[in-house]
């Protein structure tokens, strides 16, 4: 299926690995021009280098970063059609998962909200003039934790719930003006957040007295009730993101597309 993204300009945050990297790769395959945002590049992102890819090194925790990112993308490619707010998870200095609500201090809450919600607010503010002009699209990457509260990720859950709510509000206000706004909510995805040394898999393995491979291959899928029996692949999330970014989804507005391997059981 032609996604009708050829020549479109996209900004993707959290673009150097995991879901963001898969989104960048897929958009490039569809003929889009991509400004890939991350604190630093990776060999995997460098491998995609070409005239249609611009790496924008930026720290989204800095209030001025979003405006600078959008300006660079618009200058390099002549405008902006798609904003993918993918950056999220634990910011520098914060370790997730926790063991209790009491583990998160006030500064932890501020940091988690800064990256997972307030940075998105700033990105949207910066991008909206371009998106309104070109009747573009916003895709916010939220989480099933926005719907499924968890005491081990309480601050993250609250921030993602705010992001999902924000998406609905933006869709209601700017949809009539031609900007489509939707959310993709992944469940547990096999990304570096899980697989890196010291990542979630290692943390859970230490607490459970087992090894990281057992955690990812069987313990977590069973514990979280994943119907497919495995963690979700980043590409499976990227496919949903790119579909929502595409004019093929012109009738989809304010939706929350869940890609969670069957984790959420409620209607």
């Amino acid at each position: 299926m032609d996604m009708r993204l050829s020549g479109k300009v996209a900004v993707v945050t959290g673009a150097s690995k995991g879901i963001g990297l898969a989104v960048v790769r897929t958009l490039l395959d569809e003929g889009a021009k991509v400004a890939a945002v991350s604190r630093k590049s990776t060999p995997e992102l460098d491998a995609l280098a070409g005239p249609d890819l611009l790496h924008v090194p930026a720290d989204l925790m800095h209030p001025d970063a979003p405006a600078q990112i959008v300006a660079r993308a618009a200058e390099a490619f002549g405008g902006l059609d798609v904003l993918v707010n993918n950056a999220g998870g634990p910011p520098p200095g914060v370790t997730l998962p926790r063991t209790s609500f009491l583990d998160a201090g006030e500064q932890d809450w501020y940091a988690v909200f800064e990256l997972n919600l307030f940075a998105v607010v700033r990105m949207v503010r910066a991008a909206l003039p371009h998106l309104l002009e070109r009747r573009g699209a916003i895709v916010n990457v939220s989480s099933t934790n926005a719907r499924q509260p968890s005491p081990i990720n309480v601050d993250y859950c609250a921030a993602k719930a705010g992001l999902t709510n924000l998406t609905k509000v933006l869709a209601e206000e700017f949809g009539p003006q031609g900007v489509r706004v939707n959310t993709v909510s992944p469940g547990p995805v096999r990304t570096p957040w899980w697989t890196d040394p010291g990542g979630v898999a290692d943390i859970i393995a230490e607490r459970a007295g087992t090894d990281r491979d057992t955690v990812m291959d069987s313990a977590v899928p069973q514990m979280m009730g994943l119907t497919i029996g495995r963690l979700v692949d980043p590409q499976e999330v990227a496919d949903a993101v790119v579909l929502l970014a595409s004019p093929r989804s012109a009738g989809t507005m304010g939706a929350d597309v869940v890609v969670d391997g069957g984790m959420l059981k409620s209607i």
Side-chain angles (χ1 to χ4, degrees):
M1 178 188 294
D2 179 5
M3 290 294 174
R4 302 179 188 167
L5 288 167
S6 181
K8 301 290 187 181
V9 180
V11 167
V12 180
T13 67
S16 64
K17 54 188 177 181
I19 294 170
L21 179 67
V23 171
V24 170
R25 184 184 297 113
T26 305
L27 286 168
L28 290 172
D29 288 345
E30 291 294 331
K33 302 176 187 298
V34 182
V37 182
S38 61
R39 289 185 179 88
K40 57 184 179 180
S41 190
T42 59
E44 294 81 6
L45 182 59
D46 291 341
L48 302 177
D52 292 338
L53 177 64
L54 170 69
H55 177 240
V56 183
D59 180 359
L60 290 170
M61 304 281 281
H62 195 289
D64 294 335
Q68 295 168 359
I69 291 164
V70 170
R72 284 203 62 190
E75 180 182 6
F77 297 129
L80 181 61
D81 301 283
V82 175
L83 171 62
V84 179
N85 286 307
N86 168 71
V94 173
T95 299
L96 296 176
R98 308 186 187 282
T99 57
S100 164
F101 164 79
L102 298 174
D103 288 345
E106 187 163 342
Q107 292 306 313
D108 294 321
W109 277 83
Y110 280 128
V112 168
F113 266 70
E114 190 71 38
L115 178 60
N116 290 277
L117 182 59
F118 300 145
V120 174
V121 170
R122 296 186 190 107
M123 285 299 306
V124 171
R125 282 179 179 154
L128 264 175
H130 298 277
L131 298 176
L132 286 166
E133 178 183 350
R134 295 170 68 148
R135 300 179 70 84
I138 300 171
V139 183
N140 293 325
V141 179
S142 185
S143 170
T144 51
N145 282 136
R147 302 192 197 181
Q148 184 68 45
S150 168
I152 65 174
N153 289 319
V154 58
D155 42 354
Y156 175 77
C157 294
K160 289 298 189 180
L163 177 58
T164 298
N165 186 284
L166 172 67
T167 302
K168 293 282 190 180
V169 172
L170 294 172
E172 186 67 18
E173 180 173 356
F174 297 104
Q177 300 176 57
V179 178
R180 293 183 301 103
V181 191
N182 296 285
T183 304
V184 173
S185 289
V189 182
R190 202 177 186 100
T191 64
W193 186 13
W194 283 84
T195 60
D196 277 352
V200 178
D202 283 343
I203 293 171
I204 295 176
E206 182 178 359
R207 292 176 185 172
T210 185
D211 62 88
R212 65 199 319 271
D213 290 335
T214 299
V215 165
M216 288 187 288
D217 294 341
S218 60
V220 167
Q222 291 175 16
M223 177 178 63
M224 294 187 172
L226 304 184
T227 306
I228 62 175
R230 60 171 174 81
L231 273 65
V232 174
D233 187 86
Q235 186 62 52
E236 294 165 336
V237 182
D239 289 341
V241 170
V242 172
L243 179 59
L244 289 175
S246 163
R248 288 283 188 181
S249 295
T252 305
M253 180 67 73
D256 182 28
V257 176
V258 176
V259 187
D260 69 345
M263 174 182 165
L264 292 179
K265 308 299 184 185
S266 60
I267 296 173

